[in-house]
């Protein structure tokens, strides 16, 4: 398969890229800093890297066209994201704007490029969201609101593209043990309930993709927790999430 991954230079995106490259697929990745990819690693050497910002649709379109050439695009994985916790830290206008641009506009750019590229022959669009977007309450962070919007947008694409043989899978992970998560929580992952090792997360995601599932929330215990919290009245949910956020602030 020909697979292109936005945000594929680090974290979950890179882990998925490495998995598919090791399986023998042709994989292209993009990110704002391709130097983050360790080229001394034999699997990483197989990745075709394109340095760009997903908010620049023209640059993303050009990169996908070069990657595909006459080979077509079998799968687009939308993994690029930007996180700042506006509840536990001061977030300025530029950081808020970046969350909106990358998590919504950038994701839309990737989904549109995939739609245009796959419209003639079909394909698979995979969107990585977050369990942060599953709970609806007034004081949710900008990041959570962005991910909630992304889940809804992916659902709209799924319904719209079904007749064109384009499958849409939405992956909704909880805490995944990545370098970025460890940076945010200063290596104290005890503040991250049900945190899943990255290799297990990749197994879960690639299995869901292979089965062409519509939406997968994981890990299972996080899925059950979210289902329970969704039953709470808004006032209780807001109070609980606020206390949880204060508890999770790295000391």
């Amino acid at each position: 398969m020909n697979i292109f991954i936005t945000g594929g230079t680090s974290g979950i995106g890179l882990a998925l890229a490495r998995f598919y490259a090791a399986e023998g697929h042709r994989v292209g990745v993009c990110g704002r800093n391709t130097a983050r990819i360790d080229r001394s690693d034999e699997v990483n050497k197989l990745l075709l890297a394109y340095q760009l910002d997903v908010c620049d649709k023209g640059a993303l379109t050009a990169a996908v066209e070069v990657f595909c050439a006459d080979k077509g695009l079998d799968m687009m994985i939308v993994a690029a994201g930007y996180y700042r916790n506006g509840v536990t830290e001061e977030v300025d206008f530029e950081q808020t704007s970046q969350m909106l641009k990358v998590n919504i506009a950038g994701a839309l750019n990737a989904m549109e490029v995939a739609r245009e590229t796959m419209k003639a022959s079909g394909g698979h669009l995979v969107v990585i969201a977050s369990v942060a977007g599953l709970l609806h309450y007034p004081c949710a962070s900008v990041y959570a609101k962005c991910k909630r919007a992304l889940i809804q947008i992916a659902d709209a694409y799924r319904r719209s593209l079904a007749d064109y043989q384009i499958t849409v899978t939405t992956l909704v992970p909880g805490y995944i043990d990545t370098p970025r998560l460890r940076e945010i929580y200063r290596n104290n992952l005890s503040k991250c309930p049900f945190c899943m090792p990255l290799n297990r997360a990749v197994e879960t995601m690639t299995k869901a993709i292979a089965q062409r599932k519509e939406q997968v929330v994981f890990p299972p215990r996080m899925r059950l927790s979210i289902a329970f919290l969704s039953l709470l009245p808004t006032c209780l949910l807001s109070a609980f999430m606020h206390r949880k956020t204060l508890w999770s602030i790295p000391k």
Side-chain angles (χ1 to χ4, degrees), residues 15-16 24 54-55 73 112 172 175 181 202 241:
L16 287 170
V54 290
C55 297
L73 180 64
E112 276 297 284
V172 190
Y175 293 108
L181 187 71
V202 168
M241 293 304 295

Side-chain angles (χ1 to χ4, degrees), residues 111-131:
M111 294 163 78
E112 276 297 284
V113 170
R115 181 184 63 81
E116 284 293 325
T117 308
M118 297 174 177
K119 64 183 179 182
S121 56
H124 199 163
L125 175 60
V126 179
V127 179
I128 300 179
S130 167
V131 294

Side-chain angles (χ1 to χ4, degrees), residues 164-213:
Y164 301 93
Q165 288 71 57
I166 299 176
T167 300
V168 179
T169 295
T170 308
L171 302 174
V172 190
Y175 293 108
I176 306 299
D177 188 355
T178 63
R180 176 60 177 146
L181 187 71
R182 287 185 172 273
E183 177 187 344
I184 292 169
Y185 286 92
R186 301 176 188 173
N187 277 323
N188 183 9
L189 299 189
S190 66
K191 300 288 187 176
C192 305
F194 317 126
C195 187
M196 180 180 265
L198 183 56
N199 63 329
R200 284 183 52 209
V202 168
E203 289 176 7
T204 298
M205 290 185 286
T206 52
K207 181 178 179 180
I209 292 169
Q211 295 174 344
R212 305 181 86 82
K213 291 191 175 181

